[in-house]
Amino acid sequence: MKKVGIIMGSDSDLPVVEKAINTLDEYGVPCEVHVFSAHRTPEQSKSFAQNAKANGFGAIIAAAGKAAHLAGAIAANTTLPVIGIPVKSSTLDGMDALLSTVQMPAGIPVATVAIDGAVNAALLCIQILAVSDDSLAEKLSAARAAATEKVLAANRKIEEKYNK
Ligand code: RP5
C-alpha cells in the first residue's frame, strides 16, 4: 500500500496533526511524519516533495499555521495530491492559515480542509488510496454506516424523550 506523508511546519502543530496520524492508524494506512517548514527549512520541504512519489507516497498532508505556505510549497514540487490543514496557532484564530492554504493559484491545487480539520485530511487521503484498494474502500463504507447508526440511535433517544 502507498504511504501517506504528513508534514507539519512546526512541532507546535503536533497536537492537531496527531488526530490525522491516529485516523490513518485506525485504517491501517502507513504514514511517515516530518517537521519541514516552507520558511525555516525550505530546502528540506522541497526535497521531500520532489522525491515523494519515488519514495512510495500516494498522498501528502501538510499542516501549518499563521502565514501557512507549506501545503502550497509542497504542492509546487510534486504531482501527488496534497491536502492542506490550516492550523489555528495565532491571534487570528486560524483564518490567516486558512486563507494562506486555500487560496492557491490555478495550476497548483491544494485540497484544503477546515481549520484544524486533521481527521478529514486523513480521511481524504484514505479515500484517495481507496480508489485502487477495495479493502480500504470497504472499511470507509463500514465507518460511514456505523456513523449513520450512531446518529439514528441519538435521534431515537431524543425523540422518545421529547415527542410524547
Ligand atoms: C507555522 O508557524 C507553523 O506551522 C506553526 O503553526 C506556526 C508557529 O510555529 P512555532 O513558532 O510554534 O514554531 O510555520
Side-chain angles (χ1 to χ4, degrees):
M1 188 190 296
K2 300 264 189 205
K3 295 179 285 186
V4 172
I6 303 185
I7 314 301
M8 66 196 103
S10 166
D11 59 353
S12 66
D13 299 320
L14 186 59
V16 171
V17 169
E18 265 179 338
K19 295 182 187 115
I21 298 170
N22 294 340
T23 302
L24 291 169
D25 198 44
E26 282 166 22
Y27 281 82
V29 172
C31 69
E32 242 182 54
V33 187
H34 301 276
V35 178
F36 294 141
S37 164
H39 305 122
R40 293 164 173 161
T41 59
E43 290 308 320
Q44 285 80 357
S45 304
K46 184 179 176 183
S47 171
F48 175 85
Q50 285 179 332
N51 296 310
K53 197 165 191 294
N55 285 338
F57 292 95
I60 299 172
I61 292 172
K66 297 185 175 172
H69 300 129
L70 181 62
I74 297 276
N77 287 292
T78 181
T79 55
L80 291 175
V82 175
I83 316 297
I85 307 175
V87 175
K88 180 177 169 176
S89 65
S90 78
T91 48
L92 295 180
D93 277 343
M95 279 303 294
D96 44 359
L98 173 63
L99 297 179
S100 302
T101 305
V102 78
Q103 288 284 43
M104 289 297 293
I108 309 293
V110 166
T112 305
V113 295
I115 295 168
D116 289 354
V119 171
N120 274 356
L123 288 173
L124 272 173
C125 288
I126 295 164
Q127 289 180 200
I128 288 163
L129 299 185
V131 168
S132 56
D133 186 326
D134 287 344
S135 76
L136 213 45
E138 279 162 26
K139 283 186 194 174
L140 285 164
S141 295
R144 292 270 180 106
T148 298
E149 186 43 51
K150 201 173 161 191
V151 174
L152 290 175
N155 178 53
R156 280 194 295 274
K157 213 169 150 188
I158 294 285
E159 286 181 349
E160 277 164 24
K161 184 170 178 183
Y162 294 105
N163 304 342
K164 305 285 181 201

